Amino acid sequence: MKGNMEERAVKLAQYIIENRATVRTAAAKFSISKSTVHKDLSERLPAFNRPLYLQAKAVLEENKAQRHIRGGIATRKKYKGD
């Protein structure tokens, strides 16, 4: 999904907001790197669509707050054999 960076940033933000997705899942969905997702959402998007940026940022902050919980669950599954 190369091409227009602004268009890609908007599509990424919409995907993250609609699916409550993490950066990693958005990167996999659009076949781009996690660093590209971060750059699009943190630098490019606020320059031309601030309201959409704020919505996407709220989802990403929520995911970041829950990250340690998901990591603990994954570790538990790993050692329990689920």
Side-chain angles (χ1 to χ4, degrees):
M1 164 146 209
K2 300 204 170 151
N4 190 355
M5 290 181 280
E6 286 85 12
E7 183 182 326
R8 182 180 64 206
V10 168
K11 287 183 180 180
L12 277 167
Q14 289 171 341
Y15 177 78
I16 287 175
I17 293 166
E18 290 170 7
N19 298 301
R20 313 293 294 167
T22 63
V23 170
R24 186 177 296 238
T25 57
K29 169 78 174 161
F30 289 91
S31 301
I32 56 177
S33 69
K34 293 186 301 180
S35 59
T36 303
V37 174
H38 276 292
K39 185 165 184 94
D40 283 350
L41 294 179
S42 65
E43 295 178 16
R44 294 184 179 123
L45 189 61
F48 62 89
N49 195 337
R50 185 99 178 136
L52 187 61
Y53 161 73
L54 293 174
Q55 288 178 325
K57 183 180 175 190
V59 174
L60 294 177
E61 290 295 326
E62 180 182 332
N63 287 340
K64 187 175 180 183
Q66 295 172 353
R67 181 171 55 194
H68 69 284
I69 296 168
R70 282 191 300 257
I73 292 169
T75 302
R76 182 174 184 208
K77 284 182 181 180
K78 175 182 174 182
Y79 289 108
K80 245 184 149 187
D82 288 346

